[in-house]
Amino acid sequence: MKKLLMVLLVLSIALTAFAAGKQEKQAADDTIRIGYVSALSGDTALWGQAGLNGMIMTAEKINAAGGVLGKQIEVIGLDGRGDPMDSVNAYNKLIDEYKVVAVVGTNFSSCNIPIAAVSDVKKVPVIATAASNDLVTVDEKGKLHPYSFRLCFIDSFQGGKMAEYMLDKGVKTAAILTNIGDSYSVGVSEYTIAAFKAGGGTIVAAEEANSGDNDFRAQLSKIAKSKPEVLFIPWIYNDVSLISKQARELGLKCQFVGFDGWDSMELPTLAEGALEGAVFCSRPGFSTPEAKAYGVEYQAKFNIGLEAECLYGNDGILWLAQVIEEAGSYDPEAIRAGLENTTFFDGLLGEMENDPLTHNPKRELAIFTIKGADEVFVEMYN
Amino acid sequence: MFLQQLVNGISVGGIYALIASGYALIYSLLGFSNWAHGEVAMLGAYVALLFTASLQLPFIAAAIIGIGGAAIISFLNERLAYRRIRENKAPTMFLMIAAMGLSIVFQNGSMLLFGAKFQKFPPIMPVSSISIGSVHVGVLDLLTLAVAAVALIVLEIVITKTKFGLGIRAIASNTATAGLLGINTNKMFALVFAIAGALAGMAGVLLGLKYNVYPTMGNIGLKAFIASVFGGLGSVRGAIVGAIVIGVTEVMVSGYLSSGLRDLITFALLIIILLIKPSGLMGVSVEEKA
């Protein structure tokens, strides 16, 4: 019995080594390898998987149409588990072992901030998807990370814009609940508060909590007492559903306002009506005809729920393809220069322009409201 | 405001109590912390969810099946994993490691099986909260507290008043002697695991109702574990008191000081209690605490 176990153990180790060895081999001459890092397992794998699926589907289309510079594109996705350290390891592994020329991902600021620092040394461009904290492309001293880019608008952009939007709607007092364990939430909160105050509004309560708390009634009770007109909730969708339900239970009647962390089609159902009439900003998502058609094709291929993250996967790889074509080279250095000087790229997330000084794209905000079980597109706000 | 926060705290503590009492029960018999306990709660919630979602069973029926499912899973843990280790006369540490392994298997297994996304039970009540003066009490919280209170009172009566409870206490006091006196220890262990599993399943279903169902929801077991250390490992009453104290402390700290300090103060309180009274608030033995 023990011998048999030993044999099995040795065999399995040998197999793993063999499998790993097979993948490690260099990309063939006729392929360009592009990496992808995100949470492919865990609580947020919903988004990570969607991003990877989007990349794979679009890469197949590019390849079917003759590829880029006559070469086929190969997408390699590694699991960063939504964890900063695992994500950095995945980025390194993509470069050292798989020899990718550029990396797309992740969707979390907390993972991309350390990746940006590593990219300064590794010199392989990384395009964050939904990571919207300022520090993803520019360090604390204001120095640009030359190899770090992003597709989404930044926290300051949406925080500030959303505060202005509410002020435009005649709102005077607001409360905010921040997730102090998440740099995304802290970043959005900071700029929302600053812009709301600058525009003449009053922040009547600014409370803090941690993701994984599940119970926010201690903070919400305090917020309810301050009677705000709106409550800003810069959180991820599961927490948003809990926060909104508990707030309504405690008798808080104000309007809820959110950001792109709300962008999941499951949110209205999870919140069970507590978010009726709430507004949030995000990308236009599947509201444009092109994105809608892509979504139909995506669902036919993968047979899973639609998540806007697949559009990021699509835009990430399309942007890289455009830059590589224009530069006529897939050297990481050439890609970096091309990304930096992009003045026009039209993907499924809408038109964008890269700011060469900050690597932050300039985009319009899409405003959505929650009606019943749907997220309804209201308007583009600039 | 204070009353509202007190109500908030007790309702958080109620859920901790259901899980903590299971920890305490198992610790009192086997002297080890069953790290897979939180995951049993999670699996109970998933079983109930499967029955409401796919078979369209009414919620109460599905909840009972979920509780039964958790009891069976907990029983199987003991039968398939822990019993072998016990019979090998292996150190308690092995049981704990096995429990950690089970916890990881359950968490990742359910991620594969059910996916990582958050799922919810269909709404079971039209009204979500009742207002008494300026205090708002969630109907679900009242239900949680009522279910937890009834379950824990029944558990207390079973342990202190029945022959079966006497058997449990005898084994807790000395397993070998209890065996010599004619108590079928294996049967008792199996039953205790099933009871602890049922309590966990109840907690899982209630947690699922309040906070949605997802594969890592069993992590709340850590808080419950702290509550049971706080109250004195192995003491069911202590675990319940510990759970309420931890729940109220957490809410009060977040409400009046800062959320950032919440865990810091909770753990500081735990350390102080353990320094003053190493066996916890109501614990009896000072041996191996984890």
Side-chain angles (χ1 to χ4, degrees):
Chain A
M1 187 64 192
K2 267 190 185 156
K3 264 187 192 160
L4 183 69
L5 275 177
M6 273 311 284
V7 171
L8 279 175
L9 189 69
V10 170
L11 264 179
S12 64
I13 291 171
L15 268 177
T16 326
F18 178 67
K22 244 187 115 173
Q23 281 179 334
E24 276 168 33
K25 76 167 195 224
Q26 300 263 328
D29 281 344
D30 57 346
T31 58
I32 299 173
R33 278 186 165 178
I34 292 175
Y36 176 76
V37 181
S38 196
L40 301 177
S41 64
D43 284 358
T44 54
L46 183 71
W47 292 334
Q49 286 288 359
L52 180 58
N53 289 342
M55 280 196 54
I56 289 172
M57 190 167 113
T58 304
E60 282 172 5
K61 283 194 199 174
I62 295 173
N63 289 340
V68 178
L69 299 180
K71 293 180 189 296
Q72 297 283 292
I73 287 182
E74 188 186 351
V75 174
I76 295 173
L78 289 188
D79 189 5
R81 308 199 317 138
D83 177 82
M85 209 199 298
D86 285 327
S87 299
V88 168
N89 288 340
Y91 170 78
N92 280 329
K93 197 172 172 189
L94 280 169
I95 295 162
D96 298 339
E97 290 182 21
Y98 296 94
K99 315 289 180 203
V100 300
V101 296
V103 175
V104 178
T106 73
N107 51 340
F108 292 121
S109 299
S110 50
C111 299
N112 272 93
I113 293 171
I115 289 179
V118 176
S119 75
D120 291 348
V121 183
K122 286 277 180 182
K123 302 197 187 302
V124 170
V126 53
I127 303 178
T129 59
S132 51
N133 188 292
D134 291 16
L135 297 177
V136 168
T137 54
V138 178
D139 72 10
E140 272 153 346
K141 289 179 191 125
K143 197 172 149 284
L144 184 71
H145 288 295
Y147 293 87
S148 188
F149 297 86
R150 74 172 104 220
L151 284 164
C152 65
F153 43 73
I154 54 170
D155 295 346
S156 57
F157 185 74
Q158 60 169 333
K161 270 276 177 312
M162 216 44 201
E164 283 169 25
Y165 183 72
M166 293 325 292
L167 288 165
D168 277 359
K169 297 271 161 200
V171 172
K172 298 269 182 294
T173 56
I176 191 161
L177 180 63
T178 310
N179 178 359
I180 44 169
D182 179 13
S183 49
Y184 160 78
S185 185
V186 173
V188 174
S189 295
E190 219 174 89
Y191 288 105
T192 307
I193 294 174
F196 197 76
K197 281 183 182 163
T202 315
I203 298 285
V204 291
E207 289 298 315
E208 294 168 339
N210 248 309
S211 48
D213 280 1
N214 282 346
D215 209 288
F216 304 96
R217 284 173 297 182
Q219 294 85 348
L220 290 168
S221 297
K222 276 168 91 175
I223 289 173
K225 219 182 137 205
S226 72
K227 297 200 174 30
E229 288 171 70
V230 298
L231 170 61
F232 290 105
I233 312 176
W235 289 67
I236 303 297
Y237 73 99
N238 176 55
D239 290 312
V240 175
S241 77
L242 298 176
I243 291 168
S244 60
K245 276 196 277 189
Q246 289 165 16
R248 291 294 184 234
E249 262 180 41
L250 289 168
L252 194 62
K253 292 193 178 63
C254 70
Q255 186 181 28
F256 298 138
V257 181
F259 304 87
D260 59 349
W262 286 33
D263 201 343
S264 160
M265 298 199 170
E266 292 179 19
L267 179 61
T269 328
L270 281 176
E272 296 177 322
L275 286 171
E276 190 66 32
V279 291
F280 68 95
C281 63
S282 191
R283 289 139 304 276
F286 298 99
S287 7
T288 61
E290 297 82 17
K292 204 173 264 175
Y294 186 85
V296 170
E297 199 184 333
Y298 177 88
Q299 276 193 306
K301 184 174 167 68
F302 297 105
N303 195 25
I304 46 171
L306 267 185
E307 286 295 334
E309 189 70 17
C310 71
L311 302 177
Y312 278 114
N314 171 77
D315 278 18
I317 205 158
L318 277 185
W319 189 15
L320 284 169
Q322 174 182 319
V323 163
I324 293 172
E325 279 290 355
E326 279 172 7
S329 158
Y330 58 92
D331 176 63
E333 210 54 53
I335 296 177
R336 193 206 77 78
L339 292 174
E340 184 165 277
N341 298 316
T342 302
T343 49
F344 181 80
F345 166 67
D346 187 12
L348 291 176
L349 298 163
E351 296 170 4
M352 64 166 262
E353 173 192 345
N354 184 63
D355 180 351
L357 296 177
T358 59
H359 286 192
N360 293 326
K362 293 174 185 160
R363 292 178 180 280
E364 279 179 319
L365 274 189
I367 308 283
F368 292 86
T369 183
I370 292 178
K371 246 188 205 144
D374 296 311
E375 294 176 350
V376 184
F377 176 70
V378 183
E379 58 184 317
M380 294 300 287
Y381 180 71
N382 202 340
Chain B
M1 182 73 169
F2 177 77
L3 265 181
Q4 179 71 59
Q5 298 292 29
L6 192 66
V7 169
N8 295 344
I10 292 173
S11 87
V12 172
I15 296 258
Y16 290 166
L18 273 181
I19 303 186
S21 57
Y23 270 115
L25 206 54
I26 291 171
Y27 189 90
S28 73
L29 288 197
L30 289 170
F32 88 103
S33 305
N34 182 16
W35 287 111
H37 200 61
E39 274 61 43
V40 172
M42 178 267 295
L43 290 173
Y46 268 110
V47 171
L49 189 72
L50 285 180
F51 278 90
T52 38
S54 57
L55 293 180
Q56 306 288 320
L57 279 187
F59 176 74
I60 295 295
I64 291 170
I65 294 173
I67 294 166
I72 292 170
I73 291 161
S74 178
F75 161 76
L76 288 177
N77 284 351
E78 163 5 78
R79 189 70 195 80
L80 301 176
Y82 305 145
R83 184 178 292 187
R84 291 271 314 261
I85 299 173
R86 272 193 293 118
E87 282 171 353
N88 286 346
K89 304 258 181 297
T92 326
M93 183 64 84
F94 286 24
L95 286 167
M96 220 172 74
I97 306 277
M100 282 178 187
L102 280 174
S103 144
I104 293 169
V105 167
F106 288 150
Q107 208 173 92
N108 288 289
S110 45
M111 218 168 275
L112 283 175
L113 216 59
F114 310 115
K117 70 175 197 168
F118 297 89
Q119 303 186 52
K120 68 170 195 62
F121 286 104
I124 54 161
M125 278 161 306
V127 197
S128 63
S129 71
I130 312 171
S131 310
I132 309 159
S134 63
V135 178
H136 300 273
V137 189
V139 177
L140 205 52
D141 293 317
L142 284 179
L143 180 81
T144 307
L145 269 186
V147 171
V150 170
L152 295 174
I153 289 169
V154 169
L155 178 68
E156 179 72 20
I157 293 173
V158 166
I159 291 176
T160 53
K161 296 277 166 17
T162 65
K163 199 175 166 198
F164 168 66
L166 189 64
I168 296 181
R169 282 180 288 143
I171 295 176
S173 149
N174 189 316
T175 313
T177 314
L180 286 174
L181 291 173
I183 296 172
N184 183 344
T185 49
N186 271 339
K187 193 174 138 201
M188 294 297 266
F189 281 134
L191 277 170
V192 165
F193 268 90
I195 292 174
L199 288 172
M202 226 176 269
V205 171
L206 290 168
L207 270 174
L209 273 176
K210 279 174 77 161
Y211 307 132
N212 301 335
V213 180
Y214 50 99
T216 49
M217 66 187 279
N219 290 348
I220 195 175
L222 179 65
K223 282 285 168 60
F225 172 71
I226 294 164
S228 76
V229 174
F230 191 90
L233 264 172
S235 156
V236 175
R237 270 183 233 176
I240 297 168
V241 173
I244 302 289
V245 171
I246 299 253
V248 172
T249 312
E250 281 190 1
V251 168
M252 290 299 171
V253 173
S254 326
Y256 289 100
L257 295 169
S258 133
S259 302
L261 291 176
R262 191 196 60 184
D263 287 352
L264 190 121
I265 292 186
T266 309
F267 283 93
L269 193 67
L270 175 71
I271 293 170
I272 292 168
I273 290 280
L274 290 181
L275 282 176
I276 298 171
K277 201 164 179 306
S279 53
L281 276 180
M282 300 186 181
V284 273
S285 102
V286 226
E287 301 157 52
E288 291 188 21
K289 276 285 167 230

